[in-house]
Amino acid sequence: MSQVIDLLRELVAIPSVNPSGGEPDDALYGEARMVAHLEAFLGRHKIDCKRQKACDGRENLIAVVEGRSAQPIILESHTDTVAVEGMEIEPFDPRVEGGKLYGRGACDDKGSLAAMVMALVNVAASGTPADTCILAATCDEEYRFSGVNALVERPEDVGLSVEQLRSGMACAGEPTGLDVVVAHKGAYRWCLRTRGCAAHSSDPTQGENAIYTMSRLVGLLEEYAESLGARPKHPLVQGPTFSVGTIQGGSAVNIVPDLCEVLVDRRLVPGENGEDAGEELREFIGNQVAFEMEVLLEDWPMETPLDAQVVRRVRAAAESATGRGNVVGVQYGTDASKLHRAGIESVVCGPGDIAQAHTANEWVEVAQVEAAVRLYEGILTG
C-alpha cells in the first residue's frame, strides 16, 4: 500500500460521526480522535499545528508550512462523517478490494483529507515553498459548518489574520471525481409551525387542530415547490428546489393538537440568498394560512469565475495529475461557500464519487486518492 492509503485506512478506522446536536464524547461521536491522530502524524513530520475550538468539545486542526510569501494556499477538508446505522459493511474496519477502499468516510471526506495531509508532508519535505501552505481539517461540516465558520470568523485563534486569509485561495476537498467544482447550491432550512388550541378529542369543536392547519400549509408548500421548477436553470447547478423533510405534531390520540411543525429545505442557486427566499415563501403563502417561521440553517451558494486565479491553478494541477481539468457545478453544498463568502477565492476538488457518499457500502477508488496527492501538491506549489 502507498503511504496515503495507509493513512486513509488509519483515518477510516477512527470513528468521527457528527453528533448533530448530541454529545460528542462517546465511542462513535465527535472529531477529537481524528484531531489527535492528525496532530501526531503531522508532528512526526515537523509540521506546525494549532487547534481551534469551533463548538463545545470539538476542534479544528490547522497546519501551516510557511512559504517565502505570506499569501496562503489553503487545502480544506472535514474530519466528521455521517452516521453508520444501516451500513452493510463494517464502518470502521477499512478493507481494500478490487481497487476500492471501503468504510465510513472513505469517500466523504477522509479520502480528500488523507491526500491533502500527504501533499502537505511532501511539499514540506521539499524545502520552503513559494507560498504559505495551510491545511485546515475542520469539524462539523455534516451538520452546522461550525468548523469552517470558526476559521473564517476567528483566524487569529491560529495565528492568522483576516487580511492574510483573504489574500489567498482555497480548495475544499469533497468527492468530485477530481473535477474542479466552481459552482454549487446553497441551502436554507426552516422550521414552520402552525398553532392551535388543545381540547379533549371527545369534543374537538372546543379546540383548534394545528395538524389540520398544517395540512393546508403543506399543500401550499407543494405548490411553491412546483413553481420553482418553472424557473430558468443555472447553467452549472440546475434550478432552485424546495422540499418538506419532516412533520411532527400532537401529543396523544385523544388530544386535539395545539402544535404542528415541519422542517423544510430550500436549495439556492448562485445569485439567490436565503433571506430573500424566506420572504418570497412568506409572500407566496400570504394570509392563506397563519404560520411561524424559524431559520435552522443558513448556507450560501457559490460561484467562482472561470478566470479566477484559483480556478486556473487548480485546473492546471488537475490536468498535470490526471490528464484532464474538467470544470463543473454540483447541486450539493460544501465548506467552500463559507470560504468564498469570506472573500477567499475557492473551488472544490477531491477524489471519489458523490454517489458513494453516505451510502451503506461507502468506498473510494484507491487510484483516485493517490492521484489526488499529486493534484494537491500541484495546487500547493503552483
Side-chain angles (χ1 to χ4, degrees):
M1 286 295 161
S2 62
Q3 280 186 293
V4 69
I5 299 306
D6 285 340
L7 176 59
L8 178 54
R9 292 178 72 172
E10 293 172 9
L11 299 184
V12 171
I14 299 171
S16 58
V17 175
N18 194 310
S20 300
E23 292 297 324
D25 59 351
D26 71 9
L28 294 182
Y29 295 101
E31 300 91 341
R33 290 174 290 265
M34 283 284 289
V35 169
H37 189 86
L38 291 170
E39 186 176 46
F41 183 90
L42 290 164
R44 291 195 294 272
H45 291 276
K46 312 302 181 186
I47 294 176
D48 181 51
C49 297
K50 291 184 173 65
R51 296 189 183 204
Q52 180 187 36
K53 180 179 178 180
C55 50
D56 287 346
R58 301 165 70 187
E59 296 174 311
N60 297 331
L61 186 71
I62 311 300
V64 179
V65 175
E66 297 289 347
R68 295 188 294 277
S69 165
Q71 180 186 34
I73 308 300
I74 304 165
L75 299 180
E76 189 270 354
S77 186
H78 61 90
T79 53
D80 59 323
T81 73
V82 294
V84 299
E85 287 79 11
M87 290 195 73
E88 297 172 0
I89 58 173
E90 179 56 45
F92 309 119
D93 184 15
R95 61 182 174 87
V96 177
E97 184 178 305
K100 302 171 182 177
L101 190 149
Y102 291 82
R104 176 57 86 222
C107 177
D108 186 11
D109 195 30
K110 294 180 181 182
S112 291
L113 182 58
M116 288 179 173
V117 170
M118 289 309 309
L120 186 69
V121 166
N122 293 343
V123 168
S126 299
T128 303
D131 299 301
T132 292
C133 301
I134 297 175
L135 170 68
T138 58
C139 64
D140 195 32
E141 189 271 349
E142 297 288 2
Y143 185 52
R144 291 286 180 91
F145 308 110
S146 62
V148 70
N149 284 332
L151 175 62
V152 299
E153 292 168 5
R154 305 191 312 275
E156 64 277 5
D157 291 353
V158 290
L160 303 169
S161 69
V162 171
E163 293 73 22
Q164 184 181 10
L165 282 184
R166 287 178 178 171
S167 72
M169 62 188 77
C171 176
E174 289 285 351
T176 72
L178 300 182
D179 288 339
V180 183
V181 171
V182 298
H184 68 62
K185 289 184 178 180
Y188 254 61
R189 293 175 185 153
W190 298 277
C191 175
L192 307 184
R193 299 185 181 93
T194 55
R195 297 190 181 273
C197 180
H200 197 286
S201 62
S202 62
D203 187 1
T205 62
Q206 298 302 305
E208 183 180 354
N209 194 310
I211 292 178
Y212 290 165
T213 305
M214 179 60 76
S215 69
R216 295 192 293 274
L217 178 60
V218 167
L220 294 170
L221 296 177
E222 185 176 10
E223 291 179 19
Y224 173 71
E226 291 172 353
S227 75
L228 295 181
R231 296 189 182 181
K233 290 181 170 51
H234 185 278
L236 291 175
V237 304
Q238 302 298 312
T241 60
F242 181 89
S243 176
V244 177
T246 70
I247 185 167
Q248 182 174 356
S251 57
V253 69
N254 60 346
I255 301 174
V256 173
D258 61 358
L259 177 68
C260 189
E261 297 179 335
V262 295
L263 303 186
V264 301
D265 177 292
R266 169 70 152 84
R267 295 298 165 124
L268 311 167
V269 300
E272 292 188 306
N273 70 70
E275 292 85 356
D276 289 347
E279 185 58 32
E280 172 188 270
L281 178 60
R282 288 182 184 277
E283 290 179 359
F284 187 93
I285 302 301
N287 59 6
Q288 298 178 81
V289 176
F291 69 100
E292 301 168 7
M293 193 169 182
E294 177 189 356
V295 176
L296 301 178
L297 176 73
E298 300 176 337
D299 185 30
W300 303 276
M302 181 193 80
E303 185 168 26
T304 300
L306 294 179
D307 62 353
Q309 184 182 6
V310 68
V311 177
R312 298 197 304 270
R313 186 161 180 153
V314 177
R315 286 190 75 182
E319 288 170 357
S320 177
T322 69
R324 55 186 174 83
N326 297 337
V327 174
V328 301
V330 295
Q331 299 196 50
Y332 54 85
T334 77
D335 277 346
S337 64
K338 275 62 73 181
L339 298 165
H340 180 81
R341 188 175 172 85
I344 306 163
E345 282 191 357
S346 301
V347 297
V348 188
C349 185
D353 186 335
I354 193 64
Q356 296 302 322
H358 305 186
T359 61
N361 295 285
E362 185 174 352
W363 54 264
V364 67
E365 285 188 10
V366 168
Q368 275 203 14
V369 177
E370 293 172 337
V373 178
R374 301 190 296 272
L375 192 157
Y376 292 140
E377 285 183 37
I379 295 172
L380 293 176
T381 58

